[in-house]
Amino acid sequence: AQSVTQLDSHVSVSEGTPVLLRCNYSSSYSPSLFWYVQHPNKGLQLLLKYTSAATLVKGINGFEAEFKKSETSFHLTKPSAHMSDAAEYFCVVSNQAGTALIFGKGTTLSVSS
Amino acid sequence: AAGVIQSPRHLIKEKRETATLKCYPIPRHDTVYWYQQGPGQDPQFLISFYEKMQSDKGSIPDRFSAQQFSDYHSELNMSSLELGDSALYFCASSPRLPGADTQYFGPGTRLTVL
């Protein structure tokens, strides 16, 4: 069965410093992987998606993620954090049939000035 | 761009009552998914539909049922509500194309059961 593990439940950074949110996946097939962001009391917004076309995926708002098959990782990064980046981030894998998404437990990103 | 529409946005019910949540997918999207997000939890998949047929089923209680209509909108019906059903319910949609498994989420319906 497929699953994702987000290695940090909470990450705190200062504004202007790099962001690293870590995610490992487990899958018996070549997975589709996603990062979604959820701001407080808001819906889920797609940041980026990996589908095997390229290992480095660029998303919205300056975020990017690198797929590393050898490490079964899909970490999310951003060179410089902004206050508006404070939110809950979910690493997500699609099931093999593409009929459902499986979410990680989420990482809360806090950004201080 | 048009997004997924969910109604109502907020709903308050008493225990043992029923609730109906509605979802209107993005135009030309024919697949709809429902998720439940409890307080402080990650979203859990409930059920999905493609072309009005159930395509997959997750951890949906027997008290819940859902369907997709000819205009592709979907309704989630919840009966005998329990306190534990209080959650944010998301609907998502996607086009049914090869490799098109990206799901676009609505703003959610916050259900509170008293």
Side-chain angles (χ1 to χ4, degrees):
Chain A
Q2 54 283 344
S3 66
V4 288
T5 301
Q6 294 185 243
L7 302 175
D8 307 289
S9 60
H10 198 168
V11 170
S12 297
V13 300
S14 299
E15 191 174 23
T17 63
V19 175
L20 171 63
L21 305 184
R22 299 183 295 164
C23 173
N24 287 349
Y25 71 91
S26 174
S27 177
S28 58
Y29 55 92
S30 182
S32 289
L33 291 162
F34 310 80
W35 277 97
Y36 282 85
V37 61
Q38 184 176 29
H39 287 91
N41 299 312
K42 298 290 186 182
L44 292 155
Q45 181 183 21
L46 177 68
L47 277 179
L48 49 81
K49 172 186 178 182
Y50 166 75
T51 55
S52 78
T55 56
L56 185 61
V57 183
K58 293 190 182 298
I60 62 172
N61 301 334
F63 284 94
E64 62 182 35
E66 185 172 9
F67 175 77
K68 292 187 176 180
K69 186 175 181 178
S70 61
E71 299 175 10
T72 61
S73 69
F74 189 57
H75 300 338
L76 181 71
T77 61
K78 183 174 181 177
S80 177
H82 191 273
M83 295 293 287
S84 60
D85 294 328
E88 188 79 11
Y89 290 79
F90 291 99
C91 182
V92 181
V93 64
S94 176
N95 69 356
Q96 190 167 11
T99 54
L101 295 180
I102 300 155
F103 285 73
K105 295 301 182 185
T107 297
T108 303
L109 176 65
S110 299
V111 183
S112 58
S113 57
Chain B
V4 175
I5 297 172
Q6 292 188 245
S7 68
R9 294 292 310 277
H10 301 273
L11 190 58
I12 299 174
K13 291 286 186 179
E14 299 279 342
K15 281 195 310 183
R16 293 180 288 279
E17 287 190 321
T18 61
T20 297
L21 309 185
K22 297 184 178 182
C23 169
Y24 298 86
I26 293 171
R28 292 180 294 281
H29 283 196
D30 50 15
T31 306
V32 169
Y33 315 80
W34 287 96
Y35 293 82
Q36 177 192 57
Q37 184 180 30
Q41 303 294 315
D42 54 293
Q44 296 289 317
F45 170 69
L46 293 178
I47 196 166
S48 60
F49 291 89
Y50 165 63
E51 286 289 345
K52 295 162 284 182
M53 298 290 290
Q54 181 182 305
S55 55
D56 201 354
K57 191 173 181 179
S59 50
I60 183 169
D62 292 341
R63 299 177 289 107
F64 294 6
S65 65
Q67 58 182 323
Q68 185 181 32
F69 296 86
S70 57
D71 63 351
Y72 298 112
H73 94 273
S74 178
E75 295 183 3
L76 178 65
N77 299 293
M78 311 160 70
S79 63
S80 302
L81 287 169
E82 302 174 355
L83 296 178
D85 296 329
S86 295
L88 193 53
Y89 290 83
F90 286 111
C91 173
S93 73
S94 70
R96 189 68 171 183
L97 300 171
D101 53 1
T102 300
Q103 296 182 22
Y104 298 91
F105 284 79
T109 293
R110 185 169 297 280
L111 172 66
T112 302
V113 181
L114 302 175

